[in-house]
Amino acid sequence: MDRRAARRPTAPVGNLLREWRAARRLSQLDLAISAGISARHLSCVETGRAQPGRDTLARIADALEMPLRERNALLLAAGYAPGYPESPLGAPELAGMQRAIEFILAQQEPYPAFVINRHWGVLSANGGAERVNRFVLGGRSSAHRNIVRQFFDPADLRPALANWEEVAREIIHHLHDHVASTPTDRAARALLEEALGYPGVPAHWRVRDLSTAPSPLLTTVLRRDDIELRFFSTITTFAVPRDVTLAELHVECCFPVDDATATHCRRLASAVDGETAGVGETAGA
């Protein structure tokens, strides 16, 4: 196979640049000045009359604040090889980061913690997260490995969310913002449409709300019978990642808002430890 044919762009680079420039609400002149190139050259790139070099594309991507995955797509569209690797989380080159993530999850016990990708998919979770989910779901596991689906599906965690409308509105707000800021992420757009399609979702949520910013601190209230578990979350990301996988990961740690929540989480952990010890004693008898 001809290597040049194998590297043929999947989408014209000019189309991608126009799409991103529109999403950032920049004129050609604005983008050209930010990228340190002439407006005429940028115009020729967008119309296909000029072939941009890798350095030019890097400067344009910086000016547009493009994520690493989209920078790779831009390079491919121009006929170049991707500039950033995308390694599986279990790859040897990410072993150090994997250990750091496992340490964060373990340190968060007995409270929930999750590793989440850019589309809210849960890649891993600690025991605290699994125990809390099973408790509020009456002993069963969640049907989804995606936070959006868990919180919007009436057959999953949604009935256990005492403040569902508040939490769901924030999730929709974040999804709208992500879709608007990353115009080429079709999967995020599809996830937004899926969330909006669940029963009971207000119709006006289809329109992006630009009048309010996301809440700086959101409390998630989970309820089973007369027991409420209240958490707020912190997000850990990786500084200056050079790998697509790391750039798209974040670790969400849930902290108890009150003593009652903290006490119940410890009780859930103790109950599991007691069951494990009982199994071990029986097996050794």
Side-chain angles (χ1 to χ4, degrees), residues 4-214:
R4 288 175 299 176
R7 287 172 47 189
R8 187 172 297 141
T10 57
V13 65
N15 291 345
L16 281 179
L17 288 180
R18 281 193 296 272
E19 193 170 7
W20 275 90
R21 186 165 56 76
R24 295 293 188 260
R25 299 182 180 181
L26 295 172
S27 67
Q28 282 187 344
L29 180 60
D30 292 333
L31 179 55
I33 291 173
S34 296
I37 62 177
S38 72
R40 184 175 183 279
H41 182 53
L42 177 60
S43 176
C44 290
V45 170
E46 287 193 359
T47 58
R49 296 197 301 271
Q51 171 66 20
R54 290 182 69 101
D55 180 66
T56 296
L57 290 175
R59 282 185 281 159
I60 291 174
D62 285 341
L64 291 170
E65 299 180 347
M66 296 175 70
L68 300 191
R69 181 180 297 277
E70 279 66 35
R71 290 171 186 251
N72 280 347
L74 187 67
L75 287 168
L76 285 168
Y80 299 109
Y84 300 92
E86 182 177 359
S87 309
L89 191 55
E93 54 267 33
L94 298 185
M97 284 298 183
Q98 180 65 45
R99 286 193 296 271
I101 290 170
E102 291 171 356
F103 179 79
I104 294 171
L105 295 182
Q107 286 294 106
Q108 190 60 19
E109 288 283 2
Y111 312 123
F114 315 84
V115 180
I116 302 173
N117 64 20
R118 67 175 181 157
H119 296 137
W120 300 64
V122 179
L123 304 182
S124 61
N126 68 354
E130 295 170 0
R131 289 190 298 271
V132 167
N133 273 16
R134 283 199 303 270
F135 171 74
V136 298
L137 288 172
R140 61 187 174 89
S141 299
S142 176
H144 302 290
R145 297 289 294 178
N146 182 282
I147 297 293
V148 175
R149 296 185 178 105
Q150 287 177 352
F151 283 8
F152 278 78
D153 187 350
D156 208 295
L157 283 173
R158 177 170 168 176
L161 268 172
N163 61 335
W164 177 80
E165 186 164 342
E166 179 186 9
V167 173
R169 183 173 59 248
E170 286 295 306
I171 291 175
I172 291 295
H173 197 138
H174 283 291
L175 283 172
H176 270 302
D177 286 351
H178 179 83
V179 167
S181 64
T182 315
T184 53
D185 192 345
R186 312 306 180 202
R189 187 178 298 277
L191 185 61
L192 172 61
E193 288 300 319
E194 181 181 345
L196 292 169
Y198 278 106
V201 175
H204 67 269
W205 285 6
R206 288 195 160 273
V207 179
R208 185 186 180 200
D209 182 7
L210 297 175
S211 63
T212 58

Side-chain angles (χ1 to χ4, degrees), residues 219-239:
T219 298
T220 300
V221 184
L222 297 168
R223 179 186 296 156
R224 178 182 171 187
D225 301 327
D226 60 344
I227 297 176
E228 284 191 351
L229 303 178
R230 298 172 173 267
F231 299 98
F232 70 90
S233 298
T234 63
I235 304 296
T236 299
T237 57
F238 300 94

